[in-house]
Amino acid sequence: MPESTAPLRNISGPIINIVEDDVSMRESLIDLFQSMNLQATAFASPEEFLDRAELARPGCIVLDVRLPGLNGLDLQEYLERNGSTLPIVFMTGFGDISMSVRAMKAGAIDFLTKPFRDQDMLDSVLTAIEQDAVRRRKMREFDGFGSRMDALSPRERDVLQAVVEGLMNKQIAYRLGLSEITVKLHRASMMKKMEVTSVAELVRANERVSRHRALKKQADDKRPANSALRSGL
């Protein structure tokens, strides 16, 4: 069973997932994070982590490089390949330049060599949690834009597409076979529903939604359930 801190009042808040095979290090990190009122849970192996961790929950991963079986760097690659976006802080007692370069290139927040200062670990973990929070806020923002876009009528979506392409009302009217006054009415309604006040803002919102949906689809296509991740090891 994973070791964890005492539960916090906000049980759905960020959690630090520690993957470390040394029991004394696991306990030390749990004590450190608990002293700062941070919720954490620890796992002795990548297999246990994949079997039990709440991968969709906000937070981060504190990951040892040298583990039995699948090592930390390979686990990082595996998680990324399967759609995980949790930030990772690496730690190792035998770090070298090639390891740290590989980890950082793959998106790690930090690469700490044991023995590290408690403050260095806390700084790295807090940076990772904040990065995850920013990413999730952006996802909610994109989802908001997307929901408003989905609420548009088919004709309003046609007008939106033409507007972001840079067409004038007269050109949109010709394309859609409408009168210019009808285009203006659809355009005003579309802008109101999208909660934007300028074409530039509308273009940015449309780009964000399109990019976010493409990335989300890519991640969803790659992301199996925890049990499926576990079986793929």
Side-chain angles (χ1 to χ4, degrees):
M1 293 292 291
E3 305 141 19
S4 65
T5 65
L8 303 183
R9 276 180 284 182
N10 179 11
I11 60 172
S12 62
I15 187 167
I16 304 163
N17 297 281
I18 304 162
V19 187
E20 165 65 70
D21 61 324
D22 182 87
V23 62
S24 63
M25 177 59 72
R26 291 201 303 272
E27 292 174 350
S28 176
L29 287 170
I30 288 288
D31 290 342
L32 172 64
F33 297 136
Q34 187 173 25
S35 72
M36 299 301 295
N37 202 34
L38 295 169
Q39 190 170 11
T41 185
F43 307 92
S45 68
E47 291 81 4
E48 184 182 5
F49 165 72
L50 293 173
D51 226 13
R52 300 179 181 275
E54 300 174 77
L55 296 179
R57 184 170 169 180
C60 69
I61 304 170
V62 174
L63 180 58
D64 193 16
V65 170
R66 297 183 183 273
L67 294 164
L70 195 69
N71 69 45
L73 294 172
D74 290 338
L75 179 59
Q76 177 194 32
E77 181 181 339
Y78 186 78
L79 288 169
E80 192 280 331
R81 193 169 64 245
N82 285 277
S84 173
T85 57
L86 284 175
I88 297 175
V89 175
F90 274 103
M91 55 184 176
T92 181
F94 307 94
D96 60 29
I97 293 176
S98 63
M99 280 183 176
S100 61
V101 168
R102 177 180 166 187
M104 301 303 281
K105 278 186 175 181
I109 297 296
D110 210 343
F111 194 96
L112 302 176
T113 302
K114 302 173 187 175
F116 44 77
R117 295 190 313 129
D118 287 351
Q119 190 59 50
D120 289 339
M121 173 59 76
L122 288 171
D123 288 345
S124 296
V125 162
L126 291 174
T127 297
I129 290 174
E130 176 59 23
Q131 178 176 298
D132 186 57
V134 168
R135 181 190 64 80
R136 290 173 188 272
R137 282 197 296 271
K138 288 182 178 178
M139 287 182 65
R140 288 193 294 271
E141 176 186 335
F142 298 154
D143 287 343
F145 281 133
S147 296
R148 293 195 289 274
M149 190 177 291
D150 291 341
L152 299 177
S153 69
R155 185 60 78 191
E156 288 167 344
R157 282 196 288 271
D158 290 340
V159 171
L160 182 152
Q161 184 58 44
V163 170
V164 299
E165 289 177 20
L167 299 185
M168 305 298 290
N169 287 342
K170 185 179 295 187
Q171 295 170 308
I172 298 172
Y174 178 78
R175 173 191 281 188
L176 301 181
L178 303 172
S179 68
E180 192 169 346
I181 187 63
T182 300
V183 168
K184 289 180 180 179
L185 291 172
H186 282 309
R187 180 169 180 160
S189 176
M190 176 270 293
M191 296 285 282
K192 182 178 180 180
K193 287 181 180 179
M194 287 300 294
E195 300 179 15
V196 296
T197 57
S198 69
V199 172
E201 192 177 355
L202 179 68
V203 170
R204 288 195 297 270
N206 182 69
E207 289 177 348
R208 289 173 182 173
V209 170
S210 298
R211 183 170 59 250
H212 171 61
R213 285 183 168 175
L215 292 173
K216 188 173 186 297
K217 183 179 186 303
Q218 183 181 29
D220 288 344
D221 288 345
K222 294 193 298 182
R223 184 182 293 117
N226 278 22
S227 57
L229 275 170
R230 171 72 175 81
S231 65
L233 288 175

